[in-house]
Amino acid sequence: FRQNRLVNWSCSLKSAISDIEVEKVEVKGKTLKKVPGYADPVEVGIIEEFQYKVVGSNDTVTVATTRLETMLGDTAVAVHPEDDRYKHLHGKAVHHPFRKCNIP
Protein backbone atom coordinates (compact mmCIF):
# COMPACT_ATOMS: atom_id res chain seq x y z
CA PHE A 1 0.00 0.00 0.00
CA ARG A 2 1.49 3.34 -1.05
CA GLN A 3 0.26 6.82 -0.48
CA ASN A 4 1.78 10.31 -0.39
CA ARG A 5 1.89 11.33 3.28
CA LEU A 6 4.09 13.19 5.70
CA VAL A 7 6.14 10.98 7.98
CA ASN A 8 7.76 11.63 11.35
CA TRP A 9 11.47 10.97 10.97
CA SER A 10 13.64 10.31 14.02
CA CYS A 11 17.21 11.48 13.44
CA SER A 12 18.45 9.51 16.44
CA LEU A 13 16.67 6.25 15.49
CA LYS A 14 17.22 6.84 11.74
CA SER A 15 13.70 5.55 11.17
CA ALA A 16 10.14 6.69 10.67
CA ILE A 17 8.01 6.72 13.83
CA SER A 18 4.25 6.81 14.38
CA ASP A 19 2.23 9.85 15.44
CA ILE A 20 1.73 8.37 18.93
CA GLU A 21 5.51 8.30 19.42
CA VAL A 22 5.88 12.02 18.70
CA GLU A 23 5.81 14.60 21.48
CA LYS A 24 4.09 17.62 19.95
CA VAL A 25 5.08 20.89 21.63
CA GLU A 26 3.79 24.38 20.77
CA VAL A 27 6.49 27.04 20.95
CA LYS A 28 6.07 30.79 20.65
CA GLY A 29 9.03 32.12 18.73
CA LYS A 30 12.69 31.18 18.91
CA THR A 31 13.25 28.47 21.55
CA LEU A 32 16.08 26.08 22.44
CA LYS A 33 14.84 22.49 22.94
CA LYS A 34 16.69 19.37 24.03
CA VAL A 35 16.37 16.79 21.23
CA PRO A 36 17.33 13.11 21.59
CA GLY A 37 20.48 12.34 19.62
CA TYR A 38 21.88 15.89 19.88
CA ALA A 39 24.39 16.93 22.55
CA ASP A 40 23.35 20.59 22.49
CA PRO A 41 19.83 22.09 22.47
CA VAL A 42 18.38 22.72 19.01
CA GLU A 43 16.89 26.07 17.98
CA VAL A 44 13.20 25.68 17.00
CA GLY A 45 10.27 28.00 16.35
CA ILE A 46 11.90 30.06 13.62
CA ILE A 47 11.10 30.56 9.97
CA GLU A 48 13.99 31.08 7.57
CA GLU A 49 13.58 32.73 4.18
CA PHE A 50 15.73 32.33 1.09
CA GLN A 51 15.34 33.22 -2.57
CA TYR A 52 15.66 31.29 -5.78
CA LYS A 53 16.67 33.35 -8.84
CA VAL A 54 14.29 32.97 -11.79
CA VAL A 55 16.18 31.77 -14.86
CA GLY A 56 16.46 34.43 -17.61
CA SER A 57 15.11 37.18 -15.37
CA ASN A 58 16.01 39.47 -12.50
CA ASP A 59 13.02 38.11 -10.55
CA THR A 60 13.37 35.95 -7.46
CA VAL A 61 11.00 33.63 -5.64
CA THR A 62 11.11 33.82 -1.84
CA VAL A 63 10.63 30.54 0.02
CA ALA A 64 9.93 30.40 3.77
CA THR A 65 10.62 27.23 5.75
CA THR A 66 11.21 25.93 9.25
CA ARG A 67 13.64 23.33 7.86
CA LEU A 68 16.18 25.20 5.75
CA GLU A 69 18.24 22.05 5.19
CA THR A 70 15.44 20.51 3.12
CA MET A 71 16.12 23.00 0.29
CA LEU A 72 19.08 20.84 -0.69
CA GLY A 73 16.60 18.25 -1.94
CA ASP A 74 14.22 20.67 -3.69
CA THR A 75 13.28 19.45 -7.16
CA ALA A 76 10.67 22.13 -7.95
CA VAL A 77 9.07 25.29 -6.61
CA ALA A 78 5.29 25.64 -6.64
CA VAL A 79 3.08 28.71 -6.38
CA HIS A 80 -0.68 28.88 -6.04
CA PRO A 81 -2.07 28.85 -9.60
CA GLU A 82 -4.65 31.55 -8.84
CA ASP A 83 -2.32 33.95 -7.00
CA ASP A 84 -1.93 36.98 -9.29
CA ARG A 85 1.45 37.87 -7.74
CA TYR A 86 3.02 34.77 -9.32
CA LYS A 87 1.11 34.27 -12.58
CA HIS A 88 4.03 35.71 -14.57
CA LEU A 89 6.21 32.88 -13.19
CA HIS A 90 4.04 29.99 -14.42
CA GLY A 91 6.15 27.73 -16.62
CA LYS A 92 9.42 29.37 -15.56
CA ALA A 93 12.40 27.70 -13.89
CA VAL A 94 14.53 28.77 -10.95
CA HIS A 95 18.22 28.14 -10.38
CA HIS A 96 19.21 25.87 -7.48
CA PRO A 97 22.31 27.54 -5.97
CA PHE A 98 23.89 24.42 -4.45
CA ARG A 99 23.08 21.78 -7.05
CA LYS A 100 23.93 24.23 -9.87
CA CYS A 101 20.92 23.24 -11.97
CA ASN A 102 17.60 24.69 -13.03
CA ILE A 103 14.40 23.32 -11.49
CA PRO A 104 10.78 23.97 -12.56
Side-chain angles (χ1 to χ4, degrees), residues 55-68:
V55 176
S57 166
N58 289 326
D59 288 335
T60 59
V61 176
T62 302
V63 177
T65 180
T66 58
R67 302 267 320 271
L68 186 58

Side-chain angles (χ1 to χ4, degrees), residues 21-91:
E21 298 173 291
V22 174
E23 178 186 346
K24 296 190 187 330
V25 178
E26 288 284 330
V27 295
K28 294 194 184 332
K30 187 170 50 172
T31 305
L32 290 175
K33 295 292 290 179
K34 195 85 171 98
V35 176
Y38 291 85
D40 299 319
V42 174
E43 189 175 62
V44 298
I46 54 173
I47 294 182
E48 300 282 351
E49 290 185 349
F50 65 94
Q51 294 180 327
Y52 281 116
K53 185 167 177 18
V54 177
V55 176
S57 166
N58 289 326
D59 288 335
T60 59
V61 176
T62 302
V63 177
T65 180
T66 58
R67 302 267 320 271
L68 186 58
E69 67 275 14
T70 62
M71 70 88 64
L72 297 171
D74 284 355
T75 57
V77 176
V79 296
H80 194 285
E82 296 171 14
D83 191 327
D84 289 334
R85 296 173 296 169
Y86 303 109
K87 287 204 181 221
H88 69 287
L89 298 175
H90 292 189

